[in-house]
Each structure stands twice: as C-alpha cells, then as structure tokens.
C-alpha cells in the first residue's frame, strides 16, 4: 500500500475523486503541514440526492483545513465542481470530506 492509497482510504474518497499530489511543507525546525491535492474525475455531469442530473458549470479552487495527521496540520486543496440549478442559482457540489453538505453529491 502506498501513501496515496492510505490517504484515499482515510478520507473515504469515492471512485470519482483522485489524489493528485501529497506533500509536506515547512522547515525541519518548525512544524510541518501535510498538503493533499484532490481532483474530481467523474465527468461533466452530477446527480443530486433526488436523482436529478446537472451539467458542471465550472469549478473553484478551495482549501480546506482537515483533521491533523498525527501531529501535522492537514490541508486539502481541490477544484470543487459547481452546477447551475434549474432556478439559475450556482451551487457548489458536496465534497466527500465535508461535514456540511450542500445537498448535491458528485456521482
């Protein structure tokens, strides 16, 4: 098992999300932090919890502070897909490691 598989299992990432890079940042004498880059690879359509399909409108760069990895601060960097709803509102999709779901699940 490599570190990508270990982090994937720890975050419980579905198949349509992939880890593209993992790195430690910081100096040897200071506290290092773990940075994980994740990409959505599930195509150009998303389905919400009601089974309605939406095309991806765009994606935005986001950084999330996650739980510590042992003693290291952990940050997840991701281009998060957004969809345009029928009423014209643009909404960010639910990300697998989020505890505040937006109502949309990338499948």
């Amino acid at each position: 098992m490599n570190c990508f598989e270990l982090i994937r299992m720890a975050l419980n990432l579905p198949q349509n999300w992939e880890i593209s890079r993992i790195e430690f940042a910081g100096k040897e004498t200071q506290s290092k932090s773990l940075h994980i880059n994740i990409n959505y690879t599930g195509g150009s359509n998303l389905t919400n919890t009601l089974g309605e399909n939406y095309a991806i409108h765009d994606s935005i760069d986001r950084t999330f502070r996650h739980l510590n990895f042992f003693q290291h601060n952990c940050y997840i960097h991701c281009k998060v897909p957004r969809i345009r709803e029928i009423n014209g509102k643009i909404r960010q999709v639910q990300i697998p490691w989020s505890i505040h779901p937006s109502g949309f699940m990338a499948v």
Side-chain angles (χ1 to χ4, degrees), residues 10-67:
L11 293 174
N12 196 25
L13 289 179
Q15 291 298 321
N16 49 4
W17 295 87
E18 72 175 9
I19 298 171
S20 60
R21 188 174 68 190
I22 300 171
E23 68 180 347
F24 278 103
K27 297 181 179 179
E28 292 296 324
T29 58
Q30 296 176 349
S31 176
K32 287 188 174 185
S33 56
L34 175 65
H35 294 265
I36 304 168
N37 291 71
I38 298 177
N39 296 319
Y40 176 72
T41 61
S44 60
N45 290 319
L46 298 165
T47 303
N48 68 5
T49 55
L50 302 174
E52 301 166 327
N53 289 318
Y54 293 90
I56 293 178
H57 172 72
D58 64 2
S59 61
I60 55 173
D61 289 322
R62 298 282 311 269
T63 298
F64 303 89
R65 172 70 168 90
H66 202 269
L67 300 172

